[in-house]
Amino acid sequence: MRAAALLLAVSLPLAAHAQTRESGPWWPNREWGAMDQAGASNRITPEKIVAAMRLVQTGRVYEIGQVYERGMPMGNTRDFALRLVPAIEPTGSNRVLYNDEFLAAEVGQVGTQFDGLGHIGGEVRFADGSLQRVFYNGFTSGEMNAGTGLKQLGIEHVKPIMTRGVLVDLPAYKGVQRLEGGYEVTLADVRGALQRQGIAESSITPGDAVLFRYGWAQLWSKPLEYNAGQLPGIGIEVARWLAERKVTATGGDTSTNEVSPSKGQGVIIPVHQELMMKNGIFNIENLTFEELAAERAYEFLLIATPIRFKGATGSPLRPLAIR
Amino acid sequence: MRAAALLLAVSLPLAAHAQTRESGPWWPNREWGAMDQAGASNRITPEKIVAAMRLVQTGRVYEIGQVYERGMPMGNTRDFALRLVPAIEPTGSNRVLYNDEFLAAEVGQVGTQFDGLGHIGGEVRFADGSLQRVFYNGFTSGEMNAGTGLKQLGIEHVKPIMTRGVLVDLPAYKGVQRLEGGYEVTLADVRGALQRQGIAESSITPGDAVLFRYGWAQLWSKPLEYNAGQLPGIGIEVARWLAERKVTATGGDTSTNEVSPSKGQGVIIPVHQELMMKNGIFNIENLTFEELAAERAYEFLLIATPIRFKGATGSPLRPLAIR
Amino acid sequence: MRAAALLLAVSLPLAAHAQTRESGPWWPNREWGAMDQAGASNRITPEKIVAAMRLVQTGRVYEIGQVYERGMPMGNTRDFALRLVPAIEPTGSNRVLYNDEFLAAEVGQVGTQFDGLGHIGGEVRFADGSLQRVFYNGFTSGEMNAGTGLKQLGIEHVKPIMTRGVLVDLPAYKGVQRLEGGYEVTLADVRGALQRQGIAESSITPGDAVLFRYGWAQLWSKPLEYNAGQLPGIGIEVARWLAERKVTATGGDTSTNEVSPSKGQGVIIPVHQELMMKNGIFNIENLTFEELAAERAYEFLLIATPIRFKGATGSPLRPLAIR
Amino acid sequence: MRAAALLLAVSLPLAAHAQTRESGPWWPNREWGAMDQAGASNRITPEKIVAAMRLVQTGRVYEIGQVYERGMPMGNTRDFALRLVPAIEPTGSNRVLYNDEFLAAEVGQVGTQFDGLGHIGGEVRFADGSLQRVFYNGFTSGEMNAGTGLKQLGIEHVKPIMTRGVLVDLPAYKGVQRLEGGYEVTLADVRGALQRQGIAESSITPGDAVLFRYGWAQLWSKPLEYNAGQLPGIGIEVARWLAERKVTATGGDTSTNEVSPSKGQGVIIPVHQELMMKNGIFNIENLTFEELAAERAYEFLLIATPIRFKGATGSPLRPLAIR
């Protein structure tokens, strides 16, 4: 039936609802107001950008994202189908040929990806005892979701991310090639690795991005191993520390950037909830740091700005580290 | 039938072919060798990046790309279909909710887009009299095209573009709100506009990006007017000047960044051919410069790096100008 | 994040749930058991098929569906994007050429379509006072929905539909070219039209398909008029009569086959709910009966079997009337 | 760039071209005229339909197609991605819920499929010595192909196929469970099998469909084995016999319905060329005949009408055998 437009036309009085949301138990507070949709990208101020640019000394660029291609590691409910749509015959007196491409994919949730704030939420008990299905800043499934994309918390709200990036090289600290699947990185690990790298914890200031090397990108060309189920990663402890350090984004060289399986009975991707839903912090997945690690390049300008697909839950990305 | 894999498995001896291509009349010469696929992005050297970063003084960021959304101006043979794929019920003891998005689109050829070197070519007569269907550097349709994406000249070969951007504000020079559809911008116009802006032509050095404001982004919210057919833009004269200045990229605030209709009987998008096919120069379309113009911000760090979708002809983009 | 597979892996104990569903107020009873997913297609028995085949006397075939194409009338949240994926060069010693096509579309909900039982449901109050979100036979959103398709009530469960079709020609009865937008066809209209056609109401027996001509297919080539919002169609009165007559399917030459706007404050597509959710009766939309009407062909073998796309909510269709 | 519409707007004077095509060496002659696009479906006359319907005695229906689903056997350059697009919240005073699905796939070339006449062609030498790229009836790539679908020989031209189907059960004749990969079925095999089944070769008359059981559907649930590369099937000998018998369609329970690898140095899918390009005969792939074989049901009404997706090269299908 044709009535989709009709069904979707019932709009919600957001402002009124925002007030209602004020009565909720929002975490830890609302740094940028009850209607904010940009989350921790608000921390990328002009001053922050200028300071980050000053980190560039030689102009050496590191590609820390993967190429998007057929057969790359993916969850088994996602697809990446790119097709060439070529002109068969030349056209015009100047004999032009052209090619287009058509892509059908979970474009913001395959390969190197920037998870937006509409990607992960949870069913949460509010102060009045009600259970509500909420995402960052208390936006509810009901007011966010429409068939043709998110009405709230779409990726287009994220501000450009050019900031100081800090890489935490965990295998180098642990003296291994890569961490084992299922290993939860502790805060002590993070502090030890930073110390080894000569980076003071206190130097991590609001708006920075902290990236974790687990060594997992070594498996990128082996999709079955890459996504075998057991993944090294941070847990709630480090996630809370990231929130305290007021970072803008974190990232890692696995598909989740958090330990899997999660600790706790029946718990699923709690780091995602902690970062995105509670703190508006972005998560970048399927990165690769092998080159940075080989050159002991632990501090850099990070450029990691998502594409503004209106209403998308995430974005493909070409993240760059520059020194 | 299932035989696509079989049909596509016949690979071409590229190296051998490259030699054959040497006998062709390639333009104007092969600055980066017969097998190069990165074109003018090779001009973005570390030194160029460092110099461009130095242009940033205040950290003010200008979004010069458009948001991708249903109903934006598009050619009538392209689509942009984004769908939300939500979880209906919370999962796990921590009651996780999640949303994905699925996109079906000419992802590199809708909205703000970065045209790659596999997008436009032509049927060209070679020295031996043969007609060949070639793209940049002489790669032929036959060796490039496969159903699942370009085998040569895919957008993934483009190097990161962080460079000096120069905006040429043509309506300001002409004293109009926006140029008229069908008006071809002359080299004299460009020189006059640069002079008005206090930018020496000689300051445009290899690797720079020169962007043209026609004022057309004012029509972005009116798709029928935006793509009515007659477009202001540069022609062959300015395209050749761009090639002489050895820019890495050009761009404009229309869907083609070249005058339409083209001058000459039956000629179709000749500027595209001149830039991409002959000179390996990239073209960025559907930009917006209204904010830059309002602040007379004509020189800036431009960040305009395409996403690495393997085998794509172009890329969506979130281009940023930073001062 | 990669955890979609994980999130979706939590399966529901359907059999147990079915028992719970027994306590619900199901309508009007469960003719085919609590686990049935085929609905009124169960009425197409071998005897019914043999009898329907006997209606064919001359072999004259009428196409009563539309061609699927770019630009056809559609709701504004749906798309139909077909692309040709050709081989550029011949392959093999026998110089084979081949073309594929790639389609991105709401494949079961655009153009001529067969609405399945997973398409329309409702939030319903059960005997125990609880509100539940249910579809046909009490299947709930929670147990049905997954990102990659319906886990219950997918279109693949529908049995082949070859049955007696009866066309009710309403414009012919009313003496107009086509009914007016917003006109609700009454049961008296239906009975009057049948009488005019010489078809006894009692001849409509379980498993038949009753199709309504409103004359709206005359507007198919004018998408804006076709979907202007006000549509002629049946209402709840006729829908209940269809359920009493125990038809397998109904259909019409509009995008809903029900009057729009609906009667009653804030009511949306109630006929869909009455037919599908309560009675398991299928609805076929965007048909065309101009040729049948011109030849006064009111009774025929109807072939209208949906494609078995697993987990789809509907199907494209090539419905045929044969005499 | 936006100019796709422009590029595609150059239309070809088909009628004139048809005349030119007359000078070509068309095979074996043009039974239905130089502009025909329906091929052997023209043989399904009203008389043929009436006769086929008379074959139905008991109304027993056999599903001889497969369900379309994620993970089914497919060539490695194709995809089948179906996503559920649900409404999250009920709408309207009657609390409607609805689900849509979005599909991205080679919709006519995955799973059970009906190959149309625009799917396979070849580069052919004409009487005047020229090499031309042609499909059925001499339509050329240049006049057929456009980005948004075939301009000629699209699947929408195929007439409804309801005809006598004859199954040739080869494993039963050979006394094996299934034929071996790479085995070419000979005409002697076909004749032997028909004799065993008590079906006179002379009973196969114009418009019939002849279907081949190789037993390969037994492997459908094992995609790697199903498409391991070596397939049993008919070769050119049987293809020519089918053309002599003037069948409308053939089909089989493998992904090609022809032996693979093909006989002859470097030859690729020659049966496809023989049937489609030269004779306008349709080919149906990925069928299943296990149930028919078990009941020795060798003759039946076959319903196998493709969906009319304009400009598609093939179609999904729900083929039915009825007795």
Side-chain angles (χ1 to χ4, degrees), chain A residues 1-8 10 74-78 81 83-88 99 102-104 109 113 115 119-120 133 148 226-229 231 255-256 260 268-269 272 283 285, chain C residues 1-8 10 74-78 81 83-88 99 102-104 109 113 115 119-120 133 148 226-229 231 255-256 260 268-269 272 283 285:
Chain A
M1 59 99 211
R2 177 203 49 93
L6 198 63
L7 289 169
L8 297 173
V10 182
M74 272 197 303
N76 67 2
T77 60
R78 292 182 179 137
R83 295 295 181 275
L84 195 68
V85 183
I88 290 292
N99 293 308
F102 194 79
L103 178 70
Q109 300 296 339
Q113 63 201 255
D115 277 1
H119 181 44
I120 298 293
R133 295 178 178 187
T148 52
Y226 189 87
N227 275 334
L231 297 174
S255 59
T256 58
S260 175
I268 294 173
I269 54 166
H272 275 66
N283 191 29
E285 296 156 343
Chain C
M1 61 95 212
R2 178 202 51 93
L6 198 62
L7 289 168
L8 298 172
V10 182
M74 270 197 303
N76 66 2
T77 60
R78 291 181 180 139
R83 295 294 180 277
L84 195 68
V85 184
I88 290 293
N99 294 308
F102 193 80
L103 177 70
Q109 301 294 339
Q113 63 202 255
D115 277 0
H119 180 43
I120 298 293
R133 296 178 177 187
T148 51
Y226 189 88
N227 275 335
L231 297 173
S255 59
T256 58
S260 174
I268 294 173
I269 53 165
H272 275 66
N283 190 30
E285 297 156 342

Side-chain angles (χ1 to χ4, degrees), chain B residues 150-190:
Chain B
L150 295 168
K151 289 178 292 181
Q152 312 297 330
L153 297 183
I155 198 75
E156 72 276 14
H157 296 290
V158 181
K159 294 180 180 171
I161 293 179
M162 298 167 283
T163 192
R164 177 187 181 233
V166 171
L167 178 67
V168 181
D169 188 344
L170 295 158
Y173 169 66
K174 291 282 192 184
V176 297
Q177 192 185 4
R178 61 176 171 270
L179 299 193
E180 291 203 352
Y183 179 78
E184 178 175 333
V185 172
T186 65
L187 184 49
D189 289 336
V190 173

